[in-house]
């Protein structure tokens, strides 16, 4: 079976983790600082604050914005549940705009129509490794006095007209096991705002400014040096990780772009896609539906994944939630029934790529 995701660590990771183990200081310390600094250097972020996971990163980023009950955060209905959970955890109300089929991300025109007097934050999710259409989103935010928080959990190093994911105000990243860079569990927050960065660091450590001097009601959101040691070498070779993912994506596009009923993903003009996922759409022109497609690929030894099978609010827990405001999102509604992600990770061989292409073609009879 060709798996949909793998983790690959090398000797550098082993050595650095050993170094931390032997140092005897395994909690947050110099390795966390090194991870933050290196991430900031690579992706042009003036401040990087590491936390224990990507969900916490979103929660903390929303918490420092001091949202009041009733304040609204507009986000994508086509995302991992963490995006929504974080908004609710921060005490805000979640509202939704539709997405565009071309990049699976928030449609700025739809966002414009969903802004109310209570809206405080636009929260685009850079899904699958490609950034949302940030120019019009930034213009909207500036126009209406809103904050931007980018859920970049899947888009480390992605760019939009040369600007990195996470550089539009506040950005959050996940370092979970399946993400492009992983520390097992982990998260990062980026910002260019000195004051926000300072508050995030205090919030992360029980609200403590100096020993037993508490400045705010905080929490323990700290990452450990053991985890940071895993992440640092991946940052050093991240360019080659992305090259490999791009190569694989190009091979899959070449092999599949003429297949009737299958729409392959594209890197849009001006965007640097980091190919966290390679997600095709199985349309009604295909001889099988999406779920059969996944099933038949599995029978041929190709692990495919559906990210995500339903809109994020389309569960009882959220449908009846007083702070979840559902709305009509026809494009997202269609897309959830069509998407399938194929393996694109760095462990794929040329033979694997041929096999994936052949399996897809066989399943749809092309
Ligand atoms: C993975 C992910 C998160 C949450 O990150 P964790 O580290 O798993 O908590 C948030 N948003 C999106 C879009 C994700 O893919």
């Amino acid at each position: 079976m060709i798996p949909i995701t793998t983790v690959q660590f090398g000797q550098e990771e082993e050595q650095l983790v050993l170094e931390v183990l032997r140092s005897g200081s395994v909690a947050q310390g110099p390795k966390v600082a090194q991870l933050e600094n290196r991430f900031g250097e690579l992706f042009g972020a003036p401040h990087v604050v590491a936390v224990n996971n990507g969900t916490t990163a979103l929660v903390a980023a929303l918490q420092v914005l001091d949202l009041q009950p009733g304040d609204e955060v507009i986000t994508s209905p086509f995302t991992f549940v963490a995006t929504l959970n974080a908004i609710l955890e921060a005490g805000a109300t979640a509202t939704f705009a539709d997405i565009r089929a071309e990049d699976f991300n928030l449609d700025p025109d739809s966002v414009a129509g969903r802004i109310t007097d209570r809206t405080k934050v636009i929260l685009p999710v850079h899904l699958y490794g490609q950034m949302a259409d940030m120019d019009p989103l930034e213009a909207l935010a500036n126009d209406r006095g809103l904050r931007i928080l980018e859920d970049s959990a899947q888009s480390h190093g992605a760019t939009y007209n040369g600007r990195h994911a996470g550089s539009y105000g506040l950005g959050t990243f996940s370092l979970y096991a399946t993400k492009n860079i992983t520390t097992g569990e982990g998260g990062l927050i980026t910002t260019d705002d000195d004051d926000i960065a300072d508050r995030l660091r205090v919030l992360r450590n029980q609200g403590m400014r100096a020993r037993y001097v508490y400045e705010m009601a905080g929490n323990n959101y700290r990452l450990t040096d053991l985890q940071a040691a895993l992440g640092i070498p991946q940052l050093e070779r991240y360019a080659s990780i992305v090259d490999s993912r791009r190569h694989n994506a190009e091979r899959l596009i070449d092999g599949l772009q003429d297949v009737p009923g299958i729409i392959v993903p594209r890197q849009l003009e001006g965007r640097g896609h980091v190919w966290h996922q390679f997600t095709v759409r199985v349309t009604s022109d295909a001889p099988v539906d999406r779920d059969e497609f996944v099933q038949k690929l599995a029978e041929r030894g190709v692990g495919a994944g559906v990210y995500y099978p339903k809109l994020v609010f389309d569960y009882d827990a959220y449908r009846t939630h007083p702070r979840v405001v559902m709305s009509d999102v026809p494009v997202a509604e269609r897309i959830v029934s069509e998407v399938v992600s194929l393996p694109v990770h760095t462990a794929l061989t040329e033979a694997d790529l041929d096999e994936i292409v052949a399996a897809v073609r066989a399943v749809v009879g092309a």
Side-chain angles (χ1 to χ4, degrees), residues 52-58 78-83 125-128 151-154 172-179 184-187 276 308:
N52 55 356
N53 62 61
T55 310
T56 303
L58 284 164
F78 189 53
T79 183
F80 181 54
V81 71
T83 316
V125 180
H126 303 317
L127 207 68
Y128 304 146
D151 183 344
S152 315
Q154 305 186 2
T172 63
F173 296 81
S174 168
L175 303 173
Y176 179 63
T178 58
K179 303 288 155 91
E185 298 274 5
H276 173 60
Y308 297 92

Side-chain angles (χ1 to χ4, degrees), residues 119-174:
T119 306
K120 290 288 176 344
V121 181
I122 301 175
L123 201 172
V125 180
H126 303 317
L127 207 68
Y128 304 146
Q130 180 158 239
M131 287 176 69
D133 192 3
M134 291 308 292
D135 271 353
L137 289 176
E138 187 177 43
L140 260 180
N142 288 343
D143 241 36
R144 311 289 295 260
L146 309 177
R147 295 278 196 169
I148 288 179
L149 167 56
E150 302 165 69
D151 183 344
S152 315
Q154 305 186 2
S155 291
H156 318 68
T159 56
Y160 177 97
N161 292 339
R163 264 173 86 175
H164 279 110
S167 70
Y168 287 79
L170 269 165
T172 63
F173 296 81
S174 168

